[in-house]
Amino acid sequence: MKKVIMGNHAVSYGVRASEAKVISAYPITPQTHVVELLSEMCANGEIDAKFIKVESEHSAMAAVIGASAAGSRAFTATSSQGLLLMHEMLHWAVGGRLPIVLANVNRAVGPPWSIWTDQNDSLSQRDVGWIQLYCESNQETQDTIPIAFRVAEATQLPVMLVLDAFFLSHTYEIVDLLEAERVREFLPPYEPTIRLDTADPHSFGNLADPGYYMELRYMIHQAHTEAIGVIEKSQEDFGDLFGRRYGLVEPYMCDDAETIIVTSGTVASTTRAVIDELRGEGTKIGSLKIRLVRPFPFEAVYEALSGAKRVIVIDRNISFGLHGIFFQEIKSALYGRLDIPVHGFIAGLGGRDITPKVVREIADKGLAGTDLERDINWIGVKT
Amino acid sequence: MRPAVLPTEELMGSGHLACQGCGATQAMRFALKALGPKTALVIPACCWSVIDGSFPHSCIDLPIYHTAFETAGVVASGVKAGLEMRGDTETTVMAWAGDGGTFDIGIQSLSGAAERNEDIIYVCYDNEAYMNTGIQRSSSTPIGAWTTTTPVTNFKKRPKKNMIEIMAAHAIPYIATCSTAWPHDIFEKFRKAREIKGTRYIQILAPCPTGWKLPPELSVEVARRAVTSRVYPILEITENGSKLSVWKDFEPSPVAEYLSMQGRFRHLEEGEMAGIADEVERNWERLLARERMLAAIPGLEG
């Protein structure tokens, strides 16, 4: 069934179709619609789940940790300061190898207060050990929820899916809604191999001396390495069943491109429009959307960029004192294999609109290759 | 207190990592005898994170989830929900935290769980300081006490936080205090708590010989004197916070004797001890007045 819904509700419908059993959340703008609709669905029996209405995001993550440890499929959603408040428990979910799914509506971090989009909230959680998937449309957002649960349960790693504040969260688009009966074929009910069970008691998360800790960390890293294949296979299976296909990265007109613009989130669609314009002018240019950020799809990125002579990266984030975060990741993916210039651009922080004009400005600067700072160029900063 | 026959079955083994005379260990042992094998535990950062045993060992024959310091109340809420959604409505979920994880860093998630009236038993084993990190003061540390962060030159000047009144204000179905000197009482209260639905809060005075600077063999005796000196009243609060019953059937003992048993109060001068005794007396009278006042108000069934 197709319905015009906002990005936040796309998350809720994805959770309903995935038959999550325990949901916990704390309200925060611009995430609130996600859990408002879910609490309504829980109340009217549309979804057979318990909703724990907690007193903070730290507790929201802790509640789903408990539920997941007890063997139930668990979900939460947040944004910005809320995600940062969860930070400690994000580690706990990874260390506990709990297949929790979290939707984070990308919102800038204060101060100053900002409710608008940028990626510094989720990317500052990059090294915690969660799988991170960045979405571009409401359809992709909904579809990514069951994909996220399947990947999480197969790898025993938590998965965060990320969508832009307002550009997706509050924007209405047509979405082909998933139905639980059909999703079950793709995502069967969760049956953990080990859980809190009085018939088979185990102690989880207790003290590990230096003789064990490192091995447990190594296993998490191995799971991330193996997750790339799991994500690819899950997305393939999803495509076979539902006809909508998603990649680890998504190239657009990259085959003969001399220049490739790397983006993520909603900037990807804007960039495609600019690519069309530039192609019309005879410029051999393409774009690459990064969907999977952790584990970082090094091979897919290298493969997509290997024919290019120049790479332009648009970062809606900043690692203060260094570069844009995607810029660093792309350079590291190419290091020692492809010796081409990579130009980094910072744009759209705190929800400033990245219009086609802005992308065009970035493309033109990158194509000219002159007047550029070596690695970091701020776009649209009023001086 | 009425004698009860404690079951000989043990859910806690002898291979734990506690110090000698540890009250927290005795408390767990007696509580588990009452709760039985259909119990799951949530333990935040506290002495019990270590006492349970180092991976891959555990001294308790029950499922345990070890969690972050401030999350016992809410992780237990999540565990209960997760078990129920799997069709398991029988397992008792118990959060088991120290006083730091309850009175201080954990109070938010405990208050949240109590406000929602989650179907969990929350236990605070109260050893009156951060003992696992080396005896730092908590808001449960009594006035006059030495800890490593309240040195004798600047011992604790503020009274212990009244956690019982805070929990009573949440209108939860069952609140009780116990002392490790009365295992039968612990057993009976946990038996009672097991049969009640909703949030149950039990606070057990659990002496820490290391932190209280006390010979381990006096652990039980000091737990007894805390009660008989009326420093640590034994009580039950039922009917969603509207009935209070204080145990008074004991031979009172001097507060100064209780304080003098412990090195953590050694620096106190006679006048300071007398001041503490006066405050204990006022608190006791206030508690009894509260008991009488609540008794005069018609109960829920009335």
Side-chain angles (χ1 to χ4, degrees), chain B residues 285-300:
Chain B
E285 289 304 328
R286 198 155 39 226
L287 189 65
L288 297 189
R290 193 179 183 82
E291 184 184 37
R292 286 192 298 274
M293 181 193 79
L294 290 172
I297 299 170
L300 289 178

Side-chain angles (χ1 to χ4, degrees), chain A residues 50 58 72 88 203-204 207, chain B residues 52 55 64 66 70 82 84:
Chain A
K50 268 190 197 294
H58 192 279
S72 282
E88 182 195 19
S203 179
F204 296 84
L207 187 70
Chain B
D52 178 36
F55 176 84
I64 304 177
H66 290 267
E70 64 278 48
E84 282 191 0

Side-chain angles (χ1 to χ4, degrees), chain B residues 215-227:
Chain B
E217 64 275 18
L218 290 184
S219 177
V220 172
E221 184 56 23
V222 82
R224 191 183 339 270
R225 295 295 187 95
V227 175

Side-chain angles (χ1 to χ4, degrees), chain A residues 64-84:
Chain A
V64 293
I65 283 170
S68 186
S72 282
R73 186 171 287 160
F75 172 84
T76 185
T78 191
S79 244
S80 184
Q81 315 293 138
L83 183 68
L84 304 189

Side-chain angles (χ1 to χ4, degrees), chain A residues 274-318:
Chain A
V274 175
I275 299 294
D276 290 347
E277 187 182 303
L278 284 159
R279 280 275 172 179
E281 294 168 17
T283 311
K284 286 194 168 175
I285 192 164
S287 72
L288 182 71
K289 179 180 95 171
I290 309 287
R291 178 167 145 83
L292 178 66
V293 172
R294 277 293 179 278
F296 195 73
F298 277 99
E299 279 309 312
V301 167
Y302 171 71
E303 207 176 293
L305 299 180
S306 58
K309 293 181 178 162
R310 181 189 301 108
V311 174
I312 296 167
V313 182
I314 305 180
D315 269 301
R316 195 167 222 158
N317 61 74
I318 168 78

Side-chain angles (χ1 to χ4, degrees), chain B residues 5-145:
Chain B
V5 180
L6 298 184
T8 51
E9 291 84 16
E10 299 284 357
L11 283 159
M12 199 187 109
S14 56
H16 61 75
L17 301 181
C19 309
Q20 289 180 2
C22 170
T25 311
Q26 300 158 29
M28 176 70 90
R29 185 174 160 228
F30 304 139
L32 293 186
K33 279 177 181 284
L35 294 181
K38 288 288 277 181
T39 306
L41 297 186
V42 172
I43 301 181
C46 62
C47 288
W48 256 101
S49 322
V50 177
I51 295 172
D52 178 36
S54 182
F55 176 84
H57 304 289
S58 169
C59 69
I60 292 180
D61 198 15
L62 290 173
I64 304 177
Y65 205 78
H66 290 267
T67 186
F69 213 164
E70 64 278 48
T71 61
V74 67
V75 171
S77 309
V79 168
K80 184 69 187 175
L83 290 174
E84 282 191 0
M85 288 311 294
R86 293 188 59 90
D88 175 359
T89 52
E90 285 178 10
T91 297
T92 302
V93 177
M94 173 165 74
W96 183 271
D99 49 280
T102 302
F103 288 54
D104 297 333
I105 195 169
I107 195 169
Q108 173 176 307
S109 85
L110 167 58
S111 174
E115 187 272 331
R116 295 187 303 273
N117 198 23
E118 297 284 356
D119 191 19
I120 58 170
I121 298 179
Y122 188 106
V123 180
C124 170
Y125 66 92
D126 183 7
N127 51 32
E128 302 192 323
Y130 290 86
M131 298 311 188
N132 198 24
T133 43
I135 324 165
Q136 294 84 19
R137 66 92 90 180
S138 77
S139 60
S140 171
T141 303
I143 193 163

